[in-house]
Amino acid sequence: MLQLRSCLILSNVCNIGYHVIATKPPVLAPIAWGCFFIAGHSFQIMRLLRERQLVAIPSEFAEVYEKAFLPWGWKPRQYMKVIAATPCKHESLPKDGYLVREGDEVQYVHFLLEGTMAVEQDGTDLNVISAGPGGWAGEFW
């Protein structure tokens, strides 16, 4: 895609050159459109180059990325945008600890890194969640 956009910029430069040199007086509409297309392709080339830059994932988020997001095809840049836009925290719970009690407002979506977790209602297990891909708990809105 980068090579194609570069070729399109070159072709627009040639087109502008033609209309400046070969037509007397110069025809302004094709020159203006050529400048517009050069600007648009230049912007898209900058976006492509930016997307190719490496994104560093901090060590405290790397394990979550590798277990929860990478298996679903997320790119590091997408993941870091989510991390930057949402409150994140790491939490360790003792055995028989709880994340949310029934009736409490759910404020976070949780991902289980290790162990298992049961979803209970009135003391009855509704679901057991295991660590790894699919180890999500909470409400997605």
Side-chain angles (χ1 to χ4, degrees), residues 66-121:
E66 291 169 3
K67 290 185 176 181
F69 292 88
L70 185 60
W72 300 104
W74 281 57
K75 304 286 186 241
R77 184 172 307 283
Q78 294 170 316
Y79 174 67
M80 290 310 296
K81 282 183 182 178
V82 169
I83 295 300
T86 59
C88 298
K89 67 178 185 174
H90 291 258
E91 193 171 2
S92 295
L93 297 175
K95 185 175 170 76
D96 297 329
Y98 66 92
L99 292 171
V100 179
R101 291 197 186 272
E102 188 176 348
D104 289 351
E105 182 180 340
V106 178
Q107 296 181 357
Y108 298 97
V109 174
H110 305 277
F111 181 75
L112 196 59
L113 288 174
E114 55 186 55
T116 59
M117 175 177 63
V119 178
E120 297 180 356
Q121 184 177 22

